[in-house]
Amino acid sequence: MKHFSKYTTTIILSLLFISCSSDDANQTIGISKEIKDLIYFKGDEGASTVIVNAQSGPDTKLSTGEVDEIFQTFDTTDLLVVNVHQAQTLNPSLFEANDITFDRAIDLNTESVEMIYKVVKYFKDQGRTVYVLGISFGAFIAQDLIAKKGADAADQYLIMVGRLDMNAIMWQAFSEGRPGYFENGITPIIDQEVGADLIDRNLDRLAAGLSMNRYTELLNTFEDLSNITYIYGEIDEAVGRLTDSEIEFLQSKNVNLITSSGNHDDTINDFVVQGFNEAFGIQLQ
């Protein structure tokens, strides 16, 4: 495994989609320029419900595919869907010149969380219903958003194929630019050598900068997290399956927990429809 995006950049489902440039999508009015500069979006700018996507990856390019496919797949009546920039998509050159330090990766993740919070708060302050979607790396962004800004920052959350307490051996390896994966979703298999690709090494450090956090501790201050739907795969090779303690924690906080018997990609593809239904009440077209 290089980094989480190796398993998720193919988009949420295995359907074909017709991409749309952000310039084409952003020809209407109603969202401030400051917010438009932070997002790719589709839908009615005045819609009463907004899905804010924390991009999977990490990657250095702002994705259009996740948003586009939601519009091809689901009933998007009175819905606005936005994908939010992260530090590495706003300034990809930072990742292309030299190895960044692990401390720098942590700081950049903080910037990414602040960006998504700014977008979520913007729409919430307008009185809209706001849903947050986080898949793979986006799951960690969503978890950090909740930990830092509160579970009531958004109305509902759908978190897929993340981890609460990543195995230390895994995030430590990623922090050094050494890739790895989970055999059968359980056993960490780590490369002994640093990855050859500079950008991959830097993106791995971003992944480590969030997955190092112990979210069972950071989220324990919240008595109720029933506005979260959490989906995980039992043989997830990218982030590993949830441990018994992680599962017990989510259950203790009234999280709607959904289990897949599949791997990383299969869990996304097979359960995203159920997730949208149970978390957001959004159906297929």
PDB file of all heavy atoms in Angstrom, residues 210-230:
ATOM      1  N   LEU A 210      -2.875  12.120  10.973  1.00  0.00           N
ATOM      2  CA  LEU A 210      -4.225  11.983  11.532  1.00  0.00           C
ATOM      3  C   LEU A 210      -4.419  10.625  12.185  1.00  0.00           C
ATOM      4  O   LEU A 210      -5.021  10.515  13.259  1.00  0.00           O
ATOM      5  CB  LEU A 210      -5.267  12.183  10.436  1.00  0.00           C
ATOM      6  CG  LEU A 210      -5.487  13.622   9.979  1.00  0.00           C
ATOM      7  CD1 LEU A 210      -6.433  13.670   8.785  1.00  0.00           C
ATOM      8  CD2 LEU A 210      -6.035  14.489  11.108  1.00  0.00           C
ATOM      9  N   SER A 211      -3.899   9.563  11.568  1.00  0.00           N
ATOM     10  CA  SER A 211      -4.160   8.227  12.106  1.00  0.00           C
ATOM     11  C   SER A 211      -3.391   7.961  13.396  1.00  0.00           C
ATOM     12  O   SER A 211      -3.689   6.998  14.111  1.00  0.00           O
ATOM     13  CB  SER A 211      -3.833   7.155  11.059  1.00  0.00           C
ATOM     14  OG  SER A 211      -2.476   7.183  10.682  1.00  0.00           O
ATOM     15  N   MET A 212      -2.430   8.816  13.732  1.00  0.00           N
ATOM     16  CA  MET A 212      -1.739   8.675  15.011  1.00  0.00           C
ATOM     17  C   MET A 212      -2.660   9.001  16.192  1.00  0.00           C
ATOM     18  O   MET A 212      -2.416   8.577  17.320  1.00  0.00           O
ATOM     19  CB  MET A 212      -0.524   9.612  15.065  1.00  0.00           C
ATOM     20  CG  MET A 212      -0.879  11.081  15.090  1.00  0.00           C
ATOM     21  SD  MET A 212       0.563  12.163  15.275  1.00  0.00           S
ATOM     22  CE  MET A 212       0.969  11.882  17.001  1.00  0.00           C
ATOM     23  N   ASN A 213      -3.727   9.755  15.952  1.00  0.00           N
ATOM     24  CA  ASN A 213      -4.610  10.199  17.027  1.00  0.00           C
ATOM     25  C   ASN A 213      -5.420   9.043  17.589  1.00  0.00           C
ATOM     26  O   ASN A 213      -5.838   8.146  16.858  1.00  0.00           O
ATOM     27  CB  ASN A 213      -5.552  11.289  16.522  1.00  0.00           C
ATOM     28  CG  ASN A 213      -4.809  12.555  16.125  1.00  0.00           C
ATOM     29  OD1 ASN A 213      -3.810  12.901  16.729  1.00  0.00           O
ATOM     30  ND2 ASN A 213      -5.298  13.229  15.100  1.00  0.00           N
ATOM     31  N   ARG A 214      -5.655   9.071  18.896  1.00  0.00           N
ATOM     32  CA  ARG A 214      -6.480   8.063  19.563  1.00  0.00           C
ATOM     33  C   ARG A 214      -7.894   8.624  19.676  1.00  0.00           C
ATOM     34  O   ARG A 214      -8.230   9.320  20.634  1.00  0.00           O
ATOM     35  CB  ARG A 214      -5.941   7.745  20.954  1.00  0.00           C
ATOM     36  CG  ARG A 214      -4.478   7.323  21.024  1.00  0.00           C
ATOM     37  CD  ARG A 214      -4.199   6.009  20.352  1.00  0.00           C
ATOM     38  NE  ARG A 214      -3.922   6.173  18.923  1.00  0.00           N
ATOM     39  CZ  ARG A 214      -3.728   5.177  18.078  1.00  0.00           C
ATOM     40  NH1 ARG A 214      -3.801   3.942  18.502  1.00  0.00           N
ATOM     41  NH2 ARG A 214      -3.494   5.419  16.811  1.00  0.00           N
ATOM     42  N   TYR A 215      -8.727   8.320  18.701  1.00  0.00           N
ATOM     43  CA  TYR A 215     -10.055   8.938  18.661  1.00  0.00           C
ATOM     44  C   TYR A 215     -11.013   8.354  19.693  1.00  0.00           C
ATOM     45  O   TYR A 215     -12.000   9.004  20.035  1.00  0.00           O
ATOM     46  CB  TYR A 215     -10.629   8.858  17.246  1.00  0.00           C
ATOM     47  CG  TYR A 215      -9.946   9.826  16.317  1.00  0.00           C
ATOM     48  CD1 TYR A 215      -8.988   9.385  15.400  1.00  0.00           C
ATOM     49  CD2 TYR A 215     -10.205  11.181  16.388  1.00  0.00           C
ATOM     50  CE1 TYR A 215      -8.334  10.282  14.570  1.00  0.00           C
ATOM     51  CE2 TYR A 215      -9.551  12.091  15.558  1.00  0.00           C
ATOM     52  CZ  TYR A 215      -8.610  11.634  14.653  1.00  0.00           C
ATOM     53  OH  TYR A 215      -7.948  12.520  13.835  1.00  0.00           O
ATOM     54  N   THR A 216     -10.723   7.174  20.229  1.00  0.00           N
ATOM     55  CA  THR A 216     -11.549   6.699  21.338  1.00  0.00           C
ATOM     56  C   THR A 216     -11.357   7.594  22.562  1.00  0.00           C
ATOM     57  O   THR A 216     -12.251   7.692  23.408  1.00  0.00           O
ATOM     58  CB  THR A 216     -11.215   5.243  21.708  1.00  0.00           C
ATOM     59  OG1 THR A 216      -9.821   5.132  21.997  1.00  0.00           O
ATOM     60  CG2 THR A 216     -11.605   4.297  20.590  1.00  0.00           C
ATOM     61  N   GLU A 217     -10.214   8.241  22.648  1.00  0.00           N
ATOM     62  CA  GLU A 217      -9.978   9.199  23.732  1.00  0.00           C
ATOM     63  C   GLU A 217     -10.503  10.579  23.366  1.00  0.00           C
ATOM     64  O   GLU A 217     -11.168  11.241  24.173  1.00  0.00           O
ATOM     65  CB  GLU A 217      -8.481   9.265  24.054  1.00  0.00           C
ATOM     66  CG  GLU A 217      -7.885   7.949  24.538  1.00  0.00           C
ATOM     67  CD  GLU A 217      -6.379   8.028  24.727  1.00  0.00           C
ATOM     68  OE1 GLU A 217      -5.823   9.140  24.626  1.00  0.00           O
ATOM     69  OE2 GLU A 217      -5.766   6.977  24.959  1.00  0.00           O
ATOM     70  N   LEU A 218     -10.207  11.025  22.158  1.00  0.00           N
ATOM     71  CA  LEU A 218     -10.594  12.377  21.757  1.00  0.00           C
ATOM     72  C   LEU A 218     -12.107  12.547  21.660  1.00  0.00           C
ATOM     73  O   LEU A 218     -12.630  13.646  21.868  1.00  0.00           O
ATOM     74  CB  LEU A 218      -9.946  12.722  20.411  1.00  0.00           C
ATOM     75  CG  LEU A 218      -8.421  12.816  20.413  1.00  0.00           C
ATOM     76  CD1 LEU A 218      -7.907  13.006  18.992  1.00  0.00           C
ATOM     77  CD2 LEU A 218      -7.943  13.957  21.313  1.00  0.00           C
ATOM     78  N   LEU A 219     -12.819  11.474  21.323  1.00  0.00           N
ATOM     79  CA  LEU A 219     -14.271  11.546  21.185  1.00  0.00           C
ATOM     80  C   LEU A 219     -15.003  11.100  22.445  1.00  0.00           C
ATOM     81  O   LEU A 219     -16.235  11.137  22.487  1.00  0.00           O
ATOM     82  CB  LEU A 219     -14.733  10.694  19.997  1.00  0.00           C
ATOM     83  CG  LEU A 219     -14.194  11.098  18.620  1.00  0.00           C
ATOM     84  CD1 LEU A 219     -14.663  10.119  17.561  1.00  0.00           C
ATOM     85  CD2 LEU A 219     -14.614  12.515  18.252  1.00  0.00           C
ATOM     86  N   ASN A 220     -14.265  10.704  23.452  1.00  0.00           N
ATOM     87  CA  ASN A 220     -14.901  10.178  24.657  1.00  0.00           C
ATOM     88  C   ASN A 220     -15.595  11.258  25.480  1.00  0.00           C
ATOM     89  O   ASN A 220     -16.426  10.959  26.342  1.00  0.00           O
ATOM     90  CB  ASN A 220     -13.874   9.453  25.529  1.00  0.00           C
ATOM     91  CG  ASN A 220     -14.524   8.553  26.559  1.00  0.00           C
ATOM     92  OD1 ASN A 220     -15.535   7.904  26.281  1.00  0.00           O
ATOM     93  ND2 ASN A 220     -13.961   8.523  27.758  1.00  0.00           N
ATOM     94  N   THR A 221     -15.274  12.519  25.210  1.00  0.00           N
ATOM     95  CA  THR A 221     -15.929  13.611  25.935  1.00  0.00           C
ATOM     96  C   THR A 221     -17.380  13.789  25.500  1.00  0.00           C
ATOM     97  O   THR A 221     -18.150  14.458  26.202  1.00  0.00           O
ATOM     98  CB  THR A 221     -15.172  14.926  25.714  1.00  0.00           C
ATOM     99  OG1 THR A 221     -15.095  15.198  24.311  1.00  0.00           O
ATOM    100  CG2 THR A 221     -13.765  14.838  26.287  1.00  0.00           C
ATOM    101  N   PHE A 222     -17.754  13.204  24.379  1.00  0.00           N
ATOM    102  CA  PHE A 222     -19.123  13.323  23.879  1.00  0.00           C
ATOM    103  C   PHE A 222     -19.965  12.164  24.411  1.00  0.00           C
ATOM    104  O   PHE A 222     -19.615  11.005  24.220  1.00  0.00           O
ATOM    105  CB  PHE A 222     -19.150  13.324  22.345  1.00  0.00           C
ATOM    106  CG  PHE A 222     -18.331  14.425  21.738  1.00  0.00           C
ATOM    107  CD1 PHE A 222     -17.076  14.158  21.197  1.00  0.00           C
ATOM    108  CD2 PHE A 222     -18.801  15.730  21.706  1.00  0.00           C
ATOM    109  CE1 PHE A 222     -16.318  15.160  20.639  1.00  0.00           C
ATOM    110  CE2 PHE A 222     -18.046  16.751  21.152  1.00  0.00           C
ATOM    111  CZ  PHE A 222     -16.794  16.467  20.614  1.00  0.00           C
ATOM    112  N   GLU A 223     -21.054  12.498  25.068  1.00  0.00           N
ATOM    113  CA  GLU A 223     -21.911  11.448  25.633  1.00  0.00           C
ATOM    114  C   GLU A 223     -22.667  10.694  24.554  1.00  0.00           C
ATOM    115  O   GLU A 223     -22.905   9.493  24.686  1.00  0.00           O
ATOM    116  CB  GLU A 223     -22.900  12.068  26.628  1.00  0.00           C
ATOM    117  CG  GLU A 223     -22.253  12.600  27.899  1.00  0.00           C
ATOM    118  CD  GLU A 223     -23.270  13.084  28.899  1.00  0.00           C
ATOM    119  OE1 GLU A 223     -24.486  12.873  28.660  1.00  0.00           O
ATOM    120  OE2 GLU A 223     -22.874  13.660  29.920  1.00  0.00           O
ATOM    121  N   ASP A 224     -23.037  11.384  23.485  1.00  0.00           N
ATOM    122  CA  ASP A 224     -23.878  10.766  22.460  1.00  0.00           C
ATOM    123  C   ASP A 224     -23.365  11.144  21.077  1.00  0.00           C
ATOM    124  O   ASP A 224     -23.172  12.330  20.781  1.00  0.00           O
ATOM    125  CB  ASP A 224     -25.335  11.223  22.615  1.00  0.00           C
ATOM    126  CG  ASP A 224     -26.242  10.545  21.607  1.00  0.00           C
ATOM    127  OD1 ASP A 224     -26.563   9.363  21.797  1.00  0.00           O
ATOM    128  OD2 ASP A 224     -26.624  11.205  20.616  1.00  0.00           O
ATOM    129  N   LEU A 225     -23.121  10.141  20.264  1.00  0.00           N
ATOM    130  CA  LEU A 225     -22.678  10.357  18.882  1.00  0.00           C
ATOM    131  C   LEU A 225     -23.633   9.658  17.917  1.00  0.00           C
ATOM    132  O   LEU A 225     -23.224   9.099  16.907  1.00  0.00           O
ATOM    133  CB  LEU A 225     -21.247   9.835  18.697  1.00  0.00           C
ATOM    134  CG  LEU A 225     -20.157  10.559  19.495  1.00  0.00           C
ATOM    135  CD1 LEU A 225     -18.817   9.835  19.352  1.00  0.00           C
ATOM    136  CD2 LEU A 225     -20.023  12.016  19.044  1.00  0.00           C
ATOM    137  N   SER A 226     -24.907   9.711  18.250  1.00  0.00           N
ATOM    138  CA  SER A 226     -25.901   9.008  17.456  1.00  0.00           C
ATOM    139  C   SER A 226     -26.133   9.638  16.084  1.00  0.00           C
ATOM    140  O   SER A 226     -26.838   9.056  15.259  1.00  0.00           O
ATOM    141  CB  SER A 226     -27.231   8.929  18.218  1.00  0.00           C
ATOM    142  OG  SER A 226     -27.706  10.211  18.557  1.00  0.00           O
ATOM    143  N   ASN A 227     -25.550  10.814  15.819  1.00  0.00           N
ATOM    144  CA  ASN A 227     -25.664  11.403  14.482  1.00  0.00           C
ATOM    145  C   ASN A 227     -24.545  10.932  13.555  1.00  0.00           C
ATOM    146  O   ASN A 227     -24.340  11.497  12.479  1.00  0.00           O
ATOM    147  CB  ASN A 227     -25.706  12.926  14.548  1.00  0.00           C
ATOM    148  CG  ASN A 227     -24.446  13.548  15.136  1.00  0.00           C
ATOM    149  OD1 ASN A 227     -23.667  12.880  15.819  1.00  0.00           O
ATOM    150  ND2 ASN A 227     -24.257  14.830  14.900  1.00  0.00           N
ATOM    151  N   ILE A 228     -23.822   9.879  13.959  1.00  0.00           N
ATOM    152  CA  ILE A 228     -22.769   9.294  13.124  1.00  0.00           C
ATOM    153  C   ILE A 228     -23.186   7.903  12.681  1.00  0.00           C
ATOM    154  O   ILE A 228     -23.611   7.077  13.492  1.00  0.00           O
ATOM    155  CB  ILE A 228     -21.436   9.195  13.884  1.00  0.00           C
ATOM    156  CG1 ILE A 228     -20.938  10.574  14.321  1.00  0.00           C
ATOM    157  CG2 ILE A 228     -20.379   8.483  13.032  1.00  0.00           C
ATOM    158  CD1 ILE A 228     -19.702  10.524  15.199  1.00  0.00           C
ATOM    159  N   THR A 229     -23.063   7.644  11.385  1.00  0.00           N
ATOM    160  CA  THR A 229     -23.125   6.284  10.839  1.00  0.00           C
ATOM    161  C   THR A 229     -21.711   5.898  10.447  1.00  0.00           C
ATOM    162  O   THR A 229     -21.050   6.632   9.698  1.00  0.00           O
ATOM    163  CB  THR A 229     -24.069   6.202   9.634  1.00  0.00           C
ATOM    164  OG1 THR A 229     -25.415   6.461  10.062  1.00  0.00           O
ATOM    165  CG2 THR A 229     -24.016   4.825   8.980  1.00  0.00           C
ATOM    166  N   TYR A 230     -21.237   4.770  10.954  1.00  0.00           N
ATOM    167  CA  TYR A 230     -19.844   4.348  10.759  1.00  0.00           C
ATOM    168  C   TYR A 230     -19.840   2.971  10.101  1.00  0.00           C
ATOM    169  O   TYR A 230     -20.426   2.034  10.607  1.00  0.00           O
ATOM    170  CB  TYR A 230     -19.135   4.271  12.113  1.00  0.00           C
ATOM    171  CG  TYR A 230     -17.644   4.475  12.059  1.00  0.00           C
ATOM    172  CD1 TYR A 230     -17.065   5.645  12.538  1.00  0.00           C
ATOM    173  CD2 TYR A 230     -16.794   3.489  11.536  1.00  0.00           C
ATOM    174  CE1 TYR A 230     -15.694   5.840  12.503  1.00  0.00           C
ATOM    175  CE2 TYR A 230     -15.429   3.677  11.496  1.00  0.00           C
ATOM    176  CZ  TYR A 230     -14.878   4.858  11.982  1.00  0.00           C
ATOM    177  OH  TYR A 230     -13.521   5.055  11.941  1.00  0.00           O
TER     178      TYR A 230
END
